[in-house]
Amino acid sequence: MTTAGDSITKANIVASMAALSSTYNTGIVWGTHSQPFQTDITGGNASGYSQTLAADISDTNITASTITVNFRAYAVLLSRIRSVKLLKYYQIQGNVRARTDYNETNITNLQDSYKKDMTGGPASDNIIDASDLDDFVSALSTAINNNRTDTVTIEEFYCHSNCHGSCHGSI
């Protein structure tokens, strides 16, 4: 975090990005490393997404555009880490939700189709100071967290082999 009046340096930009990384790359239970879904919807592993901001910005010429583009791109990656509720139902005599056999909610590293766009921040032609950077990172953090806690519900339906004929009307 910077202090009002501070100059924006590569070090405090990288520290702000690292804070997002350590906050939102934690607690991932389901991902490519371990997933209970019938159709795999995961897109990354339990360690989340590393950030490469230090390599992406120069040591001397830091522009608002560089900051917003890099932070937004990383926030979009982090937006794929979401709360997911998985419900598995077994069909009995035509009732597709007759029995719930699985009901669990966990933080999940989802595939790209679950990402969210992240907007806001300083305009690319504006001069920003340290407090503007903090406000921008805080707003992104809030958006990432709101998305993370907005639970995605996945429902899966199974037909037990004993009832296959009656479930599908065939013998």
Side-chain angles (χ1 to χ4, degrees):
M1 182 141 219
T2 55
T3 303
D6 284 353
S7 295
I8 296 176
T9 65
K10 181 176 180 175
N12 59 27
I13 292 170
V14 170
S16 293
M17 181 72 79
L20 285 178
S21 179
S22 66
T23 299
Y24 296 110
N25 277 321
T26 60
I28 300 168
V29 175
W30 293 333
T32 54
H33 62 287
S34 171
Q35 61 88 20
F37 306 102
Q38 183 178 32
T39 301
D40 189 4
I41 61 169
T42 62
N45 62 29
S47 57
Y49 300 100
S50 61
Q51 52 91 10
T52 59
L53 186 62
D56 294 339
I57 60 174
S58 76
D59 291 323
T60 55
N61 189 17
I62 303 167
T63 64
S65 176
T66 300
I67 294 169
T68 56
V69 165
N70 283 281
F71 272 84
R72 280 187 196 139
Y74 191 58
V76 167
L77 274 177
L78 293 175
S79 77
R80 293 170 48 178
I81 301 171
R82 309 234 351 234
S83 173
V84 174
K85 179 177 187 170
L86 175 60
L87 297 166
K88 292 184 180 186
Y89 299 104
Y90 276 86
Q91 180 171 325
I92 299 172
Q93 296 184 5
N95 181 351
V96 296
R97 289 185 174 90
R99 186 176 80 204
T100 303
D101 279 358
Y102 191 90
N103 180 351
E104 193 169 331
T105 303
N106 282 305
I107 298 297
T108 308
N109 195 340
L110 294 164
Q111 59 191 233
D112 191 61
S113 61
Y114 288 88
K115 72 182 178 191
K116 296 285 185 179
D117 287 332
M118 297 290 164
T119 59
S124 59
D125 58 347
N126 285 1
I127 296 173
I128 64 172
D129 63 22
S131 64
D132 293 330
L133 175 64
D134 288 344
D135 291 345
F136 176 53
V137 173
S138 177
L140 281 178
S141 182
T142 298
I144 294 164
N145 189 61
N146 288 345
N147 185 63
R148 179 183 175 108
T149 58
D150 181 24
T151 302
V152 175
T153 299
I154 304 295
E155 294 181 310
E156 295 180 354
F157 301 92
Y158 298 88
C159 181
H160 192 274
S161 61
N162 290 357
C163 71
H164 191 78
S166 63
C167 288
H168 297 283
S170 60
I171 296 185

